[in-house]
Amino acid sequence: MSDREQQRLDFLKAAGLADAVRTPLAGDASTRRYERLTTPSGVNLMLMDQPPAAESPPADPSWSPERRRAEGWNAVARLSAGRIEAFAAVAAHLRSIGLSAPEIVAVDAAAGLAVLEDFGDDLFARVIERGEPEEPLYLAAVEALATLHDAALPEVLSGAAGDWPLLAYDETALQGGADLFVEWMPKLDPALIFDAAAIEAWRAAWAPVTARGAAGATVMAHRDYHAENLIRLPDRGGAAGVGLIDFQDAVRAHPSWDLHSLLQDARRDVPASLEARALDHYFALRPATDREAFLRDYAGLAALNEARILGIFARLIVRDGKPRYRAFMPRMWAHLDVNLKAPGLEPVARWFDTHVPEARRR
């Protein structure tokens, strides 16, 4: 038996769950793993297992951009490094404003272990695959975002495992994400060659987008808000009917961030008509929003996110040996090509026209 398995057994025993049946769940692209726990009485719970030393450290709020770059990717991007205390603190905030995040049943943050309420398996993506209409689900997801965006924004979140800072998705984090494209795409496609001048031009083209994104960082962003991370909870009404998971990397960000993650999904096609309807619904729920300025930033940050995701997929394929992510890349290229036609993105569009021919966008 591994030391980690013994830790899990000791934790479950201390939580009164030694007799629970454990069923491992499929993994994702992170270092976390989950198990469904079924108690002798038939109650289902979730075991979250995130070894604390498995990733580089999260950013300290006091660190400069230079220090963040020296400490590693989690510090650059202001990711939580999977810390249990981040998940618990964000969950507590979401529940405090009437949204549905899992209750924390037991937690040992130092060990990277927690037992959570189980929301079940009705992920939006699976429910839609079974033939249920997608528009009501997407509009409910928008309502949950509007609730989140209307809430007061604390600088520090408090949860069952302690406090966690809510950091800004700033220019360093945004540009760092975009730079994954120029770092990893040439390793996937050797026909792409980006010299120092090309990379300098890349960063200059994105600078206005990252500046607007940082200046507009006024709401909490879930940061991985899409149909694979939202769970239908039919016994709860309104925005609370959207079960939220995988939010431990939450930051203070531009309100468009979670919307374009939801509506320009890497994993499934969202019809353009539904994207437009969902955006209209958001503006109706938040009528003080400057629609024109918002949509300008929406296109710019969506394009940046798509470049970031293309870089992540290239890294997963090349470094981590996960070729299945190649199947998602054409969808991201299609979204990116549409967004590059938006006003204000002409420098970025010219960069792609110069350095990434149409034949390489696949």
Side-chain angles (χ1 to χ4, degrees):
M1 180 187 301
S2 70
D3 291 344
R4 186 61 178 172
E5 173 61 9
Q6 188 61 57
Q7 269 192 306
R8 287 189 285 264
L9 290 173
D10 292 344
F11 172 68
L12 291 173
K13 182 178 179 181
L17 293 165
D19 295 332
V21 175
R22 298 166 57 189
T23 305
L25 301 182
D28 58 12
S30 75
T31 55
R32 281 186 313 280
R33 63 189 295 272
Y34 291 93
E35 295 178 7
R36 173 161 283 132
L37 308 174
T38 304
T39 69
S41 63
V43 174
N44 285 334
L45 298 166
M46 283 287 181
L47 173 65
M48 176 189 285
D49 178 0
Q50 171 69 62
E55 299 190 22
S56 63
D60 185 283
S62 67
W63 287 351
S64 67
E66 293 74 23
R67 174 71 184 276
R68 285 159 61 187
R69 285 188 279 268
E71 291 288 344
W73 175 243
N74 284 327
V76 170
R78 288 188 157 164
L79 297 168
S80 70
R83 297 295 175 85
I84 297 290
E85 53 267 44
F87 183 93
V90 177
H93 175 71
L94 294 171
R95 290 195 303 273
S96 76
I97 62 173
L99 297 177
S100 290
E103 293 278 357
I104 311 296
V105 176
V107 63
D108 183 341
L113 294 165
V115 176
L116 317 173
E117 177 185 8
D118 183 3
F119 281 163
D121 296 322
D122 276 350
L123 296 173
F124 278 20
R126 304 292 86 77
V127 170
I128 293 166
E129 286 170 0
R130 295 201 298 264
E132 298 202 25
E134 58 187 348
E135 182 169 315
L137 294 169
Y138 275 86
L139 296 186
V142 169
E143 289 163 15
L145 282 183
T147 299
L148 180 61
H149 294 174
D150 284 340
L153 194 66
E155 292 187 7
V156 177
L157 308 174
S158 298
D163 293 344
W164 191 261
L166 186 67
L167 302 179
Y169 204 3
D170 62 2
E171 288 167 272
T172 298
L174 289 164
Q175 187 62 57
D179 286 351
L180 292 175
F181 181 93
V182 291
E183 178 182 0
W184 286 98
M185 284 299 293
K187 297 174 183 178
L188 179 65
D189 183 354
L192 298 176
I193 300 172
F194 307 139
D195 60 15
I199 292 174
E200 182 180 0
W202 168 263
R203 292 174 177 159
W206 285 114
V209 177
T210 63
R212 290 197 303 273
T218 57
V219 304
M220 177 187 279
H222 176 293
R223 204 172 174 177
D224 203 12
Y225 199 78
H226 55 76
E228 301 276 353
N229 278 340
L230 305 175
I231 300 176
R232 185 182 62 171
L233 302 175
D235 58 335
R236 306 186 190 189
V242 181
L244 307 175
I245 59 172
D246 208 16
F247 43 68
Q248 60 279 341
D249 292 320
V251 286
R252 188 171 72 251
H254 193 287
S256 72
W257 191 266
D258 283 341
L259 277 167
H260 64 65
S261 295
L262 175 71
L263 301 173
Q264 297 189 11
D265 197 332
R267 294 165 180 81
R268 67 179 310 273
D269 293 323
V270 178
S273 58
L274 178 54
E275 180 182 14
R277 174 78 180 91
L279 288 169
D280 285 344
H281 192 46
Y282 180 81
F283 294 131
L285 292 168
R286 304 193 77 220
T289 303
D290 181 333
R291 182 179 182 126
E292 182 177 352
F294 187 98
L295 289 176
R296 175 187 173 95
D297 293 343
Y298 176 91
L301 291 169
L304 184 147
N305 191 42
E306 283 136 16
R308 180 187 72 90
I309 291 171
L310 285 165
I312 289 173
F313 287 166
R315 183 175 66 187
L316 286 165
I317 296 163
V318 172
R319 187 191 71 183
D320 301 336
K322 296 182 177 181
R324 67 183 182 275
Y325 286 94
R326 190 182 288 274
F328 300 136
M329 297 182 81
R331 185 179 292 111
M332 284 290 90
W333 277 117
H335 288 315
L336 178 59
D337 285 343
V338 170
N339 286 315
L340 289 180
K341 296 179 174 64
L345 288 181
E346 293 85 0
V348 181
R350 284 194 295 271
W351 188 94
F352 275 96
D353 288 342
T354 300
H355 298 286
V356 187
E358 289 284 348
R360 314 314 309 172
R361 303 183 196 184
R362 52 184 172 80

